[in-house]
Amino acid sequence: NVNYVLLVDRIVQTSEDLAYVQSIVDNDPNAFNGTSYKRPELGDILYLDTNKDGKINDDDKVPYGHGPNPTTTYGVTLALNWKGLDFSCLLQGVEGIKAYTLGNSYTSVLRKGYNINKDVTDGRWYDGRTTPASYPRLLQDGNTRNTLPSTMWMQDKSYMRMKNIQLGYTFPSRLTKKIMIENLRIYGSIDNLFTITKYKGLDPEIDGVGYPPLRQVTFGVNVSF
């Protein structure tokens, strides 16, 4: 299940980039001769000729990443108690996972009835852009030149998340017994307080556009008689 993709050389954005594409064609007029491997224009992706045969095609695909499973999964639980106060937290995360994110919303292809991720639209190349583009130009549905399986659409889904953090206080028994209570504890708890990740989708723990985990704040009282 390792991803098998094209490596991205660059997004063609400048006259120097166009000149570089022309030099590839000068060396081999058939360098871009496939149905999907058309000669890149301004705003298009230039894929890397990994096997150095002078042509850009499926033969340039290479294994990338380690598949859908992380190389490392970890979790840390911390618990502290002091004079009736108690604190606990659960920190959890994964490392070494790269995911293919190209889909209905994370794409540079315009399709009727679908929205496009804001990161893609804001980072796209367009005529007159003054800063380097992170994504290729937007194209109409059916034009797949910039949506071939490539590292353009791969993302690191490593993350570290505070799954739960809780703070409580247990009242001294000498006080609670006066009101016929054996034990009285109040607490506050937060689930999914924060997540540290480079992933640009909704949530690194979910696939596609599934519903992400909610941040939940809970207050409670534990009473025993």
Side-chain angles (χ1 to χ4, degrees), residues 70-210:
T71 57
T72 305
T73 300
Y74 62 88
V76 178
T77 301
L78 177 66
L80 299 172
N81 291 276
W82 181 74
K83 293 185 177 181
L85 284 171
D86 62 89
F87 170 82
S88 65
C89 67
L90 171 60
L91 196 66
Q92 181 261 333
V94 300
E95 289 292 332
I97 177 170
K98 295 184 182 297
Y100 190 60
T101 56
L102 183 65
N104 289 331
S105 63
Y106 212 86
T107 179
S108 60
V109 171
L110 299 170
R111 296 178 60 194
K112 184 178 180 180
Y114 289 91
N115 293 323
I116 295 180
N117 186 286
K118 186 175 184 296
D119 185 57
V120 177
T121 56
D122 289 350
R124 78 192 188 280
W125 180 92
Y126 54 85
D127 188 25
R129 186 181 180 104
T130 57
T131 57
S134 311
Y135 294 93
R137 59 180 173 146
L138 301 183
L139 295 172
Q140 294 293 332
D141 190 16
N143 194 328
T144 61
R145 64 166 62 198
N146 292 323
T147 54
L148 300 175
S150 73
T151 51
M152 174 60 63
W153 308 108
M154 298 290 298
Q155 286 196 54
D156 186 352
K157 294 187 77 174
S158 301
Y159 69 89
M160 181 175 68
R161 167 169 286 159
M162 182 63 74
K163 296 287 287 186
N164 176 266
I165 185 168
Q166 187 172 131
L167 180 65
Y169 178 70
T170 301
F171 289 87
S173 59
R174 69 177 186 275
L175 297 179
T176 59
K177 286 182 177 180
K178 293 179 180 180
I179 54 175
M180 302 179 65
I181 293 177
E182 185 69 26
N183 186 75
L184 175 60
R185 176 178 177 266
I186 59 174
Y187 68 91
S189 176
I190 305 177
D191 294 331
N192 305 312
L193 177 60
F194 64 82
T195 303
I196 300 173
T197 183
K198 295 180 181 178
Y199 181 61
K200 299 174 182 178
L202 284 177
D203 189 273
E205 278 195 283
I206 63 174
D207 293 324
V209 291

